[in-house]
Amino acid sequence: SAIYFFWKLIAQGYTKARLIFAGISLGLALASKFTAVLLFPMLLLVIAAAIYKDKNRGVSLKKFSIWLFAILAASFVALHSTYFFSIDTVANTVPQRNMKHIDYFLEKNFAEGGFAKKAAEFLIFDLKVPMPDYWAGFAGQHLIGSSQLRKAYLNGEIYAGGKWYYFFEVLLIKTPIPLLIFLFISICYAAMAGKKASFLNELFISLPIAFFLGIFILINFNLGIRHILPIVPFMILFASRIVNIKFKNHFHNHLFRIFIGMLIVWYVLSALFIMPDYMAYFNEFVGMDNGHKYLLSSNLDQGQDLKRLAEYIKKNNIGKVKISYHGTFDPKYYNISYELLPMESYIAWGPGYTLYDPPESYKEDCSKKYGIIAISISNLHNFNLKNESCFNWLKGYEPIKRIGYTIYIYNITK
């Protein structure tokens, strides 16, 4: 919606309502996702393009500067309102379990008694700021991104850093094939249309796609499709130009409409078949049952099947299970009695919790276990475990049940 109101304002002309809605929608976007900060450079690029296209650039620069200030002011008010206009120190806002990580960060990165450390301590412990939750969360995302937790998984390989083609492959296998076909046809049509299209309209549709993809390719951040999800509406918007395609031959035009109709039916059916497991969706290039061979974690598994696991345990009168669960909810929440197997150290409800890389003293018991074992697919592939071969022994067995697409049940007997 932020991009839409920017477009209304810049491409269709100024009104007070458009200016206010542009600012409010920007603030709400910032409240919904930290990567929305990328809207700022995108907005500046669009404004720069609009000024360049204007013959009277001096007047245009002054006008857009005033608009930009108003948009930023409105966005700040909207963002602050989502935190109920809170003003406090960061230290009073951060959960107590994370304070030791702040102390660790200060000790690791700043010299004792130095100006930099005193300044950092003042900013964290003494200075009251608007919406401290937002700034603390933003800083936390940066720290996680810059730590060795930046492990990625692609095509069965766990690796640090990133691969330039990661997001292209993710889009290729996580996007419905009909949409990919629509995009291909639309790109061909746009190329043939040439100068007929409006420059600003094309910029507002294409820039977010190129910008988000380019940023995450450059920073080698391969954590999941969620980071580039904002481009999906623009992909659909770009593909929608197929409705403008017409052939001079009536018969060819009719065949094309039938072809598009069949693709739409395919699109709808694929959504119905995966319902409600949308996170686990993979298109027909790989198949939904094979998705874990290509991608894990937020591309497939965020612990969403825990409630189903509890229902399975209750239905089958199972007592205690041995569990390795990739999720932020403690299974006890659903009255699951369990013995904990190795899991990621950065999940707060687990033992040995640490936001950063596990210390040398952190040990994982990767020996063979017996009984009913419930394990998340990400953990079965040892993703983000300290020992990246911890559960290899379990891969030699067939699961007795799969809960959704993400939790596998094994019955290992002696």
Side-chain angles (χ1 to χ4, degrees), residues 395-413:
K395 294 179 182 179
Y397 295 88
E398 287 293 323
I400 60 171
K401 177 71 177 177
R402 187 186 70 190
I403 309 297
Y405 288 90
T406 67
I407 298 179
Y408 286 49
I409 309 293
Y410 294 84
N411 185 7
I412 309 299
T413 57

Side-chain angles (χ1 to χ4, degrees), residues 363-384:
K363 302 295 182 184
E364 295 167 336
D365 179 7
C366 298
S367 61
K368 185 176 180 179
K369 304 295 189 299
Y370 296 93
I372 301 296
I373 295 173
I375 183 169
S376 294
I377 188 63
S378 295
N379 295 8
L380 182 60
H381 285 279
N382 308 299
F383 185 58
N384 277 333

